Amino acid sequence: MTLKKKMVAGVVAVGIVSGAGFSLANTDAGGALKNWYDSLFNNTSEAVLSESDANFEQILAQLRAENEVLKELATSQINGTRDSVINTSSLAITNAKNGHIQSLEGEKGAILEAMDYQFYNLFLQGTLEIYAKGNEMQAAATSDFGSHTGAKGQAAVSEVTTQLNGVKDNAVSELEEAIRQAKAELTAGVDNYSEVVTRNLSNQATWKGEDIREALDGILAKMVTDQQTIITAKAAELELNAKQSLDDVVAGIDD
C-alpha cells in the first residue's frame, strides 16, 4: 500500500513544479496561457475521473454479484449444520422419551423463539460497533489529511512566492516563441500525466476490490463457523435438558 501512495504523490508533486515554471512572467500573455491551461486541465481531469469511476463501479458490481453467491453458500452451510444436529439430537431424544414429548413442545418453542430474539440483538450490537469504529477511523484520517495537505500546500505557496519574486520579465522579442514552447510542453505534460493518473487509478480500483473481497471472505467464514458452533452447542443443551426432564418424570412416577 505504501508503493501505491508514492506513485500518486509523485504525480501531484511534479504538477506543482510545472505550474511554478509556467508562471514565471507576470504578464497578460501569461494570464491568457494560465486560463488556457486551466481549461485543458479541467477537461482532462473530468475525463480521467469519469473513466476511473466507471471502472470501479464495474468492480463493485462484480463484488456484489459474488457476495450473493457467497451468501447462498453460507446459507446452505448453516442450514446443513442445522439439519445435521437436529437429526442427531432428535434421534437421541426419541430413543429416550417415553411418550411425554407432547408436553415439552410448548417449552421448546418458547426457547427457540427467545433464541432468535437474543441472536438478533447480538447482531445489532456487533453492527453498531462496526459502524462506530469505522466512523472513528474515517474521522481521524480526514483530520490527518487536512493537516498534512494544508501544511504542504502552504510550504509550496511560500516557495512559489519566493521564486517568482526573484524572476525578471522576459524580453519582448522572446514572448511569441516562449508562448509556443510553453503550450507545447504543457500539452505534452497533460497527455503524459493523464495516462499515468488513469493507470494508477485503475490499479487502485483493482487493489481495493481485492482487499474488499479478501476481507469479506474472512468475515463470512468466521460468521459461518460461529453460527455452526452456536447451533451445535444449543442442540446438545436441549438434548441434555430433554433427557433430564424425562428422567425427572420417571423418578417421580410414584408421586
Side-chain angles (χ1 to χ4, degrees), residues 228-251:
Q228 291 174 331
T229 300
I230 290 170
I231 293 169
T232 301
K234 194 62 184 181
E237 179 186 343
L238 292 173
E239 176 184 335
L240 181 61
N241 288 340
K243 289 180 177 179
Q244 183 62 51
S245 296
L246 295 174
D247 291 341
D248 291 343
V249 171
V250 173

Side-chain angles (χ1 to χ4, degrees), residues 166-178:
V167 176
K168 295 181 179 180
D169 294 337
N170 292 326
V172 175
S173 61
E174 298 176 357
L175 179 58
E176 183 175 1
E177 178 61 18

Side-chain angles (χ1 to χ4, degrees), residues 154-172:
Q154 185 58 47
V157 169
S158 298
E159 179 65 19
V160 168
T161 301
T162 299
Q163 293 295 328
L164 291 180
N165 286 337
V167 176
K168 295 181 179 180
D169 294 337
N170 292 326
V172 175

Side-chain angles (χ1 to χ4, degrees), residues 2 4-5 10 24 28 32 53 59 78 80 102 110 132-133 139 148 172 180 182 187-188 219 234 241-242 254:
T2 302
K4 301 175 193 173
K5 293 181 178 178
L24 295 178
D28 290 340
D53 184 68
I59 292 175
I78 290 172
Q102 185 68 34
K133 290 180 180 179
H148 176 78
V172 175
R180 187 193 67 78
T187 299
I219 291 171
K234 194 62 184 181
N241 288 340
D254 294 329

